[in-house]
Amino acid sequence: MFDLITGRERHLPSHAAVPIIMSTAAQATVIALVVAVPMLFFAEQLPQIETMMAFVAAPPAPPPPPPPPPPAARAKQAPEKARPVPSENAFLAPVTEPSAITELPDDEGFDQGVPGGVEGGIPGGVLGGVVGGLPEATPPPPPPPAVERAPVRIGGKIDPPQLVRRVEPYYPPIAARAHIQGVVILEAIVDRDGNVSDVRLLRSANPLIDREAEIAVRQWRYSPLVLNGIRERFVLTVTLSFFLQPPK
């Protein structure tokens, strides 16, 4: 009807073209299926590739150290000159009579020197010299330290030296008012000149009178003790009594 209105003529395909078109479409569909189906099947079996792959490798080893430098070449030593060997007849007396006699100097020709000697050397030195010169004489060892002998204890066959100076101990008034009495025994060490050098308390009566007894004995003086011609230190015991009234 539309064609009748527009006035255009419609050309219908012929009956021979329809089967060709359908056959072509069917063949294209079969070819597409044959190609597409295997591709989908193999695509599922392909491994998944990670988006990032990191490779970690150990750092390379450091280079070996350089070889040490070769040792310095030693300086070549000059070969020593062979010393002249005197002949066997050098020290023999001549057989023929010499025509003239030459007088030698007082030092018998030592001023002339010897082959290989050193200028300014002394006659009679060692041929070739001594490395470092002659060694100095070793000083003698120091004397051993003197050993201090122990003081001699007075008693037995050794009589006590004579007391040259005696100082009586002071009796403190406070000790007398407190009726402090007793006997103080001291040990005194006397030096080689007879002076009391040390005092040790052996028996105490009271600190007040002990101190006064020690002060008095330190001022005592004895004659030196001589044994076999040598002055010796000695030790003796001193007894001091502190009483208000003489004991009965």
Side-chain angles (χ1 to χ4, degrees):
M1 181 182 294
F2 182 76
D3 294 335
L4 297 176
I5 296 173
T6 55
R8 294 182 180 179
E9 295 182 358
R10 182 180 181 185
H11 298 282
L12 296 176
S14 61
H15 295 285
V18 173
I20 295 173
I21 295 173
M22 293 179 62
S23 175
T24 303
Q27 291 177 3
T29 303
V30 172
I31 293 172
L33 292 176
V34 171
V35 175
V37 170
M39 292 181 63
L40 294 176
F41 176 75
F42 287 108
E44 293 179 357
Q45 297 182 358
L46 293 177
Q48 295 183 359
I49 301 175
E50 297 181 0
T51 57
M52 181 182 296
M53 297 182 67
F55 296 92
V56 179
R74 297 183 179 179
K76 295 183 179 180
Q77 299 180 355
E80 296 183 357
K81 296 181 179 180
R83 298 179 180 177
V85 180
S87 62
E88 297 179 357
N89 300 327
F91 302 100
L92 298 179
V95 179
T96 58
E97 182 179 357
S99 58
I101 299 176
T102 57
E103 296 182 359
L104 297 176
D106 296 338
D107 53 1
E108 298 182 358
F110 284 113
D111 288 341
Q112 303 296 329
V114 295
V118 180
E119 183 179 357
I122 60 174
V126 181
L127 185 61
V130 179
V131 178
L134 296 176
E136 298 180 358
T138 305
V147 179
E148 185 70 16
R149 299 178 59 179
V152 180
R153 185 169 293 278
I154 300 300
K157 297 182 180 180
I158 302 177
D159 298 330
Q162 183 181 359
L163 180 61
V164 178
R165 178 186 177 188
R166 178 186 176 96
V167 177
E168 295 297 332
Y170 176 70
Y171 205 141
I174 186 173
R177 289 195 298 268
H179 298 279
I180 296 175
Q181 305 179 76
V183 177
V184 180
I185 300 177
L186 303 173
E187 183 182 72
I189 299 178
V190 184
D191 59 14
R192 293 179 176 85
D193 296 330
N195 300 318
V196 178
S197 60
D198 193 13
V199 177
R200 186 166 65 95
L201 180 64
L202 299 180
R203 178 180 175 182
S204 173
N206 187 274
L208 291 176
I209 57 180
D210 294 344
R211 181 174 178 274
E212 297 298 333
E214 181 179 349
I215 293 174
V217 172
R218 285 185 179 274
Q219 302 178 47
W220 291 8
R221 183 179 178 87
Y222 290 85
S223 59
L225 176 64
V226 180
L227 296 177
N228 299 326
I230 302 175
R231 290 187 178 186
E232 299 287 351
R233 300 185 301 160
F234 60 91
V235 182
L236 51 79
T237 303
V238 180
T239 302
L240 297 177
S241 300
F242 291 83
F243 290 100
L244 296 175
Q245 295 179 355
K248 297 181 180 180

